[in-house]
Amino acid sequence: MTVEISNLRFDAHGLIPAIIQDVESNEVLMMAYMNEESLKKTLETGQTWFWSRSRQELWHKGATSGHFQDVKDITYDCDADCLLVKAIQTGVACHTGKRSCFHNPLHTVEGEKNVGADIINEVYEVVMSRKREMPEGSYTTYLFNKGLDKILKKVGEEAAEVIIGAKNRSREEVVYEVSDLLYHLLVLLGEQDIKPQEVFNELAKRR
């Protein structure tokens, strides 16, 4: 299904805001403006194109950085004056080197922050960055250097720790050990170049 451009409401400058969202994690990556020409190029090429208000020219996201966005879905809101683009992000979205442009805190309600399931993808991204860059002193780097057998050994050990915690009826122990197990499972997925989304898709079949 494609966007019906004639249905859209561009502003007085011929622009419409486009919010870019990671198709796998639902993380909001950035916001930029499109005009009709850049939207058409986005639809034609399958990668995001925008209109630069400062340079007054089209720009292809990733053309200079290599951080392309492969478009998977485009929808528009109820007023037809804003686009939501779901894409696969290569590298980072922000020119500062951050994964998302939305990384500056403005207001946070005090108290314990409830973290959602997106943390799985976030930790996986960290694991994969360690695999690419192999920074010294990183435990994840250590696991990748030791190889598959070491990673599998840790998965087995952490699974055993989960069992012990559950047998002890220790809520805190189970939470802690399950977190350790999930982390090492993400390292294993990274070693095998399997994305969490593939596991999510398999889980969805079991509903």
Side-chain angles (χ1 to χ4, degrees), residues 1-164:
M1 180 179 179
T2 58
V3 173
E4 292 292 339
I5 295 179
S6 61
N7 292 339
L8 300 177
R9 296 172 58 191
F10 294 88
D11 67 16
H13 302 287
L15 302 176
I16 188 169
I19 299 168
I20 314 303
Q21 184 179 38
D22 189 292
V23 71
E24 295 180 347
S25 68
N26 290 324
E27 179 183 16
V28 176
L29 299 173
M30 60 177 284
M31 191 283 285
Y33 287 89
M34 291 184 178
N35 60 10
E36 186 170 337
E37 184 180 1
S38 65
L39 177 54
K40 286 180 178 178
K41 289 185 76 68
T42 296
L43 294 172
E44 291 168 2
T45 65
Q47 294 186 332
T48 53
W49 285 74
F50 304 104
W51 176 258
S52 171
R53 294 175 298 168
S54 59
R55 300 192 304 272
Q56 289 292 294
E57 64 181 14
L58 292 173
W59 61 285
H60 179 196
K61 176 65 176 175
T64 56
S65 66
H67 297 162
F68 297 104
Q69 293 170 341
D70 294 310
V71 176
K72 296 301 178 184
D73 183 65
I74 303 178
T75 54
Y76 55 91
D77 71 345
C78 54
D79 293 321
D81 60 2
C82 183
L83 300 176
L84 177 63
V85 181
K86 294 188 177 183
I88 294 176
Q89 175 70 53
T90 298
V92 299
C94 186
H95 72 281
T96 64
K98 298 286 188 179
R99 169 76 177 171
S100 168
C101 292
F102 296 94
H103 57 265
N104 297 305
L106 178 65
H107 173 69
T108 303
V109 177
E110 292 186 3
E112 185 176 349
K113 181 180 178 182
N114 287 323
V115 179
D118 287 350
I119 191 65
I120 294 292
N121 284 308
E122 292 176 20
V123 173
Y124 181 78
E125 287 297 328
V126 172
V127 167
M128 294 308 287
S129 72
R130 298 291 186 271
K131 183 181 179 181
R132 290 190 300 269
E133 300 163 12
M134 300 294 276
E136 291 185 13
S138 164
Y139 175 65
T140 310
T141 298
Y142 163 79
L143 289 175
F144 282 126
N145 276 329
K146 288 294 184 180
L148 179 59
D149 286 348
K150 179 64 175 180
I151 296 170
L152 293 175
K153 183 172 183 288
K154 289 302 298 181
V155 169
E157 290 175 355
E158 298 304 336
E161 294 292 337
V162 170
I163 293 171
I164 293 170

